């Protein structure tokens, strides 16, 4: 975790300081290739685990429940807070 | 939509190849994905730093624009934690890590599986990575499909909040269509703030 956070903050700082360096810009623009490579490796590790593959429908249901509940939490709280802020402004 | 389909196709190709005996476990080591993950984190960081978005976020900073990312984070994590009681095989911190993706499926899924592997083993880590990928793809689809309902029931800021990280790119046209053009600055600030916060929260909750 420390390595990841150091890399993140270090690269944000480098990005701010070296905005006009073309090779760095080209490198950061290739992010979608890296994402696809990573997802392919994640797929590989999932495929190698027979128990995970066998449980794929259950995982899909759990994932949908998590997504629906997370969206509900954020829209309800945002709706309440924005109504409260609007009332206070009036 | 084309990008989501590509992501799903590449992920499924990985699963199929993993299921076949083309790649053996001796041949494939998790160090490969760790190195690619570090490259991705550097690319994301450089992208944030070079885009000038940090100055944009500081310029647009006021109470109402800050309210959306804060309520998105608090609302998402609070209900994700509450949901953990419905699943016996997921801990509170697991559910909070899964919710903390805010639609950033690529980064959150890989971060979770990488951080979890030494803690819970390869099988559980792969399961959590897959859950993160699917949950965050579903979040994007729900935000697109239910945008008119969210606007009508919870107000114009709700479409931005539901979108999470994708409010600044993929879902921006949907937000403009249903909540109006005046939502663009708030959608950008929300997306940028969540893009910065996502890796921090995912790393934190996954390591608990």
């Amino acid at each position: 975790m420390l390595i990841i956070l150091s890399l993140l903050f270090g690269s944000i700082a480098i990005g701010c300081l070296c905005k006009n360096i073309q090779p760095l810009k080209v490198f950061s623009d290739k992010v979608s290739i890296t994402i696809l490579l990573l997802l392919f490796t994640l797929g590989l590790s999932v495929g190698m685990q027979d128990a995970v593959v066998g449980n794929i429908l259950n995982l899909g249901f759990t994932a949908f429940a998590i997504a629906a509940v997370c969206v509900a939490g954020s829209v309800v709280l945002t709706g309440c807070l924005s109504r409260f802020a609007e009332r206070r402004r009036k | 939509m084309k990008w989501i389909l590509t992501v799903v196709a590449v992920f499924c190709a990985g699963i199929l190849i993993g299921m076949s005996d083309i790649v053996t476990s001796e041949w494939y080591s998790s160090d490969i994905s760790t190195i690619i993950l570090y490259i991705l984190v550097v690319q994301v960081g450089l992208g944030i730093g070079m885009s000038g978005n940090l100055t944009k976020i500081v310029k647009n900073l006021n109470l109402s624009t800050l309210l959306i990312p804060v309520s998105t984070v608090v609302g998402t994590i609070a209900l994700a934690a509450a949901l953990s009681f419905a699943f016996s095989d997921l801990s509170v911190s697991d559910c909070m890590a899964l919710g903390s993706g805010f639609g950033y499926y690529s980064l959150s899924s890989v971060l979770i599986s990488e951080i979890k592997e030494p803690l819970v083993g390869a099988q559980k880590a792969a399961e959590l990575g897959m859950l993160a990928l699917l949950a965050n793809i579903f979040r994007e689809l729900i935000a697109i499909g239910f945008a008119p309902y969210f606007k009508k029931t919870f107000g114009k800021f709700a479409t931005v909040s539901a979108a999470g990280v994708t409010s600044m790119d993929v879902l921006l046209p949907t937000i403009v269509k249903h909540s109006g053009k005046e939502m663009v600055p708030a959608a950008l600030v929300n997306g940028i703030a969540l893009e910065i916060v996502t890796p921090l929260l995912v790393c934190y909750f996954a390591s608990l």
Side-chain angles (χ1 to χ4, degrees):
Chain A
M1 182 176 130
L2 266 180
I3 299 173
I4 291 169
L5 296 183
S6 319
L7 283 174
L8 182 71
F9 287 119
S11 53
I12 290 176
I14 293 170
C16 284
L17 295 171
C18 312
K19 273 182 190 154
N20 298 320
I21 297 179
Q22 204 55 29
L24 273 185
K25 209 171 168 48
V26 173
F27 173 67
S28 75
D29 286 345
K30 301 289 179 210
V31 69
S32 46
I33 297 171
T34 318
I35 287 171
L36 292 178
L37 259 174
L38 262 178
L39 289 172
F40 181 74
T41 60
L42 179 63
L44 271 183
S45 49
V46 167
M48 285 173 173
Q49 312 288 333
D50 293 338
V52 180
V53 177
N55 200 17
I56 217 155
L57 262 181
N58 247 337
L59 289 176
F61 169 75
T62 309
F64 185 79
I66 291 169
V69 162
C70 288
V71 171
S74 50
V75 295
V76 169
L77 192 62
T78 304
C80 292
L81 286 180
S82 61
R83 268 177 207 169
F84 176 72
E86 234 166 73
R87 262 185 221 159
R88 281 201 66 174
R89 213 177 296 148
K90 280 175 189 170
Chain B
M1 204 64 189
K2 200 176 157 191
W3 172 245
I4 291 187
L5 290 176
T6 312
V7 162
V8 173
V10 169
F11 182 66
C12 291
I15 293 178
L16 290 176
I17 294 173
M19 283 167 72
S20 68
D21 291 330
I22 301 171
V23 181
T24 58
S25 47
E26 300 93 56
W27 203 72
Y28 170 75
S29 112
S30 63
D31 291 347
I32 299 170
S33 53
T34 308
I35 293 165
I36 307 173
L37 173 67
Y38 291 163
I39 295 171
L40 177 66
V41 171
V42 170
Q43 284 176 316
V44 169
L46 284 174
I48 294 171
M50 291 176 111
S51 66
N53 282 338
L54 287 176
T55 44
K56 207 182 284 176
I57 205 170
V58 173
K59 276 181 193 166
N60 281 308
L61 228 52
N62 62 48
L63 195 66
S64 59
T65 47
L66 264 181
L67 194 78
I68 310 176
V70 170
S71 58
T72 304
V73 170
V74 175
T76 297
I77 291 175
L79 281 206
L83 186 72
S84 66
F85 297 107
F87 298 113
S88 55
D89 52 341
L90 288 175
S91 67
V92 177
S93 59
D94 284 346
C95 280
M96 287 159 102
L98 292 169
S100 302
F102 303 108
Y104 205 162
Y105 46 81
S106 49
L107 188 65
S108 63
S109 57
V110 182
L111 276 177
I112 288 176
S113 62
E114 284 298 317
I115 293 171
K116 279 287 178 187
E117 197 174 321
L119 301 174
V120 293
Q123 185 186 316
K124 182 76 179 169
E127 214 173 274
L128 286 170
M130 187 164 174
L131 267 178
L133 179 76
L134 291 175
N136 287 294
I137 288 177
F138 284 141
R139 178 173 186 136
E140 194 174 316
L141 297 176
I142 291 170
I144 294 173
F146 288 86
Y149 171 75
F150 291 149
K151 154 76 175 51
K152 202 176 155 193
T153 316
F154 301 103
K156 58 186 179 181
F157 293 110
T159 54
V160 178
S161 180
V165 173
T166 55
S167 67
M168 66 176 179
D169 44 50
V170 182
L171 259 94
L172 194 58
T174 311
I175 291 165
V176 169
K177 187 181 171 193
H178 297 288
S179 295
K181 275 183 189 158
E182 71 271 19
M183 278 293 105
V184 171
L188 291 177
V189 170
N190 182 60
I192 296 160
L194 292 180
E195 190 181 20
I196 297 166
V197 159
T198 297
L200 305 179
L201 290 177
V202 170
C203 284
Y204 175 68
F205 290 126
S207 61
L208 287 179

